[in-house]
Amino acid sequence: MTTATKEKILIIEDEKDLVRLIRHNLEKEKYHVTSARDAETGLKLARSSKPDLILLDIMLPKMDGLEFLKTMRSEVDVPILLLTAKRSEMDRILGLKLGADDYIVKPFSLGELQARIAGHLRRAGIQTGGSDKKSVSVGDINIDFERHEILVKGQVTYLAPKEFAILKLLIEANGKVLSREQLLQLIWGHDKDIEIDTRTVDQHIARLRRKLRSESERIRTVPNFGYQVAMK
Ligand code: CA
């Protein structure tokens, strides 16, 4: 993987000093940082700048963080890390239910924050990068890693990020069977606080197959175990 430009991080937080501190710290690590002081601006930025990770404060002016989260989750599939106050346990639980990937309780150490960010980006990187190849073809499926799109018989098919990630992992496994647990771990990070189980993998595979249309049988089920891609 080339790491000339580091990932883009969007901070949505209304505490100016905290933003300045986080920004300074992340820029030292060569991340590209943008920030917004309210959720509306944050939403616009998230749509236009396509960040790789979002740090989201729950208590925000105007639209609150949780409302933002709901909207954002339906559109973008990047890791969202909540910044929460110690007392707001309900918000944290609700936040995870609404699709946040993780939370960190204020006050947190910058070292801890960086470690979490790096961890989430590493997992997300499985979905977006990790391969030096620009594209690969299997049967009538062509995956363009750079443009993040697939062609089935020359026709562009839109895949959600996690569907793309599953297909990419299976193709990179080159015919090897990946268990549902492996896929869960590699793509969702298997956080025990979040209620995701192997059925989630099956549901994504089902959607992926539908989108592969005539090539749907490329993805083979290995009963009671996992999945593989038929390479030939
Ligand atoms: Ca706040």
Side-chain angles (χ1 to χ4, degrees), residues 148 150 157-164 167 207-208 211-212:
H148 222 260
I150 72 156
T157 295
Y158 173 75
L159 296 185
K162 286 191 166 63
E163 293 160 8
F164 187 88
L167 184 62
R207 278 204 292 276
L208 181 56
K211 290 181 181 178
L212 293 178

Side-chain angles (χ1 to χ4, degrees), residues 17-225:
D17 291 342
L18 184 58
V19 173
R20 198 176 303 146
L21 191 67
I22 297 175
R23 175 193 278 278
H24 176 72
N25 208 263
L26 293 178
E27 283 177 344
K28 258 196 339 210
E29 293 299 309
K30 306 276 181 274
Y31 288 111
H32 186 278
V33 180
T34 49
S35 63
R37 261 191 263 165
D38 61 81
E40 263 170 54
T41 316
L43 197 56
K44 278 190 203 137
L45 266 178
R47 284 173 182 147
S48 61
S49 74
K50 305 229 173 353
D52 298 292
L53 183 140
I54 298 173
L55 293 177
L56 175 65
D57 179 29
I58 285 187
M59 307 279 272
L60 288 167
K62 296 191 244 178
M63 189 197 295
D64 85 359
L66 290 174
E67 208 177 311
F68 167 86
L69 187 59
K70 237 197 282 182
T71 313
M72 208 52 229
R73 251 305 158 247
S74 62
E75 295 183 27
V76 185
D77 199 4
V78 300
I80 298 178
L81 186 53
L82 299 178
L83 308 175
T84 72
K86 206 174 223 154
R87 59 192 177 280
S88 61
E89 198 185 355
M90 270 318 290
D91 284 350
R92 257 174 271 157
I93 295 167
L94 194 57
L96 291 173
K97 280 224 161 84
L98 289 176
D101 294 86
D102 199 359
Y103 63 85
I104 188 162
V105 180
K106 294 177 189 176
F108 45 80
S109 81
L110 290 165
E112 167 73 8
L113 180 66
Q114 264 188 31
R116 297 273 196 98
I117 289 174
H120 284 286
L121 287 174
R122 200 165 46 240
R123 287 205 292 256
I126 294 164
Q127 304 173 23
T128 54
S131 174
D132 290 333
K133 279 192 195 155
K134 287 183 177 157
S135 70
V136 68
S137 293
V138 179
D140 284 329
I141 309 169
N142 180 271
I143 299 197
D144 188 325
F145 294 129
E146 284 193 335
R147 302 176 66 153
H148 222 260
E149 66 184 26
I150 72 156
L151 300 170
V152 179
K153 288 193 171 160
Q155 224 187 329
V156 178
T157 295
Y158 173 75
L159 296 185
K162 286 191 166 63
E163 293 160 8
F164 187 88
I166 290 173
L167 184 62
K168 184 168 183 282
L169 278 175
L170 287 172
I171 286 180
E172 283 176 349
N174 199 20
K176 212 182 103 194
V177 184
L178 294 179
S179 72
R180 297 142 95 215
E181 283 76 15
Q182 272 173 315
L183 288 167
L184 195 62
Q185 182 86 44
L186 287 166
I187 291 168
W188 281 269
H190 201 59
D191 188 329
K192 64 180 184 325
D193 290 337
I194 306 173
E195 288 173 39
I196 292 174
D197 60 28
T198 50
R199 271 172 303 180
T200 309
V201 177
D202 300 336
Q203 285 156 7
H204 277 74
I205 291 273
R207 278 204 292 276
L208 181 56
R209 276 189 178 132
R210 277 200 294 278
K211 290 181 181 178
L212 293 178
R213 300 186 300 264
S214 59
E215 288 289 288
S216 65
E217 285 177 15
R218 284 270 159 207
I219 298 179
R220 290 188 187 150
T221 304
V222 179
N224 301 318
F225 186 69

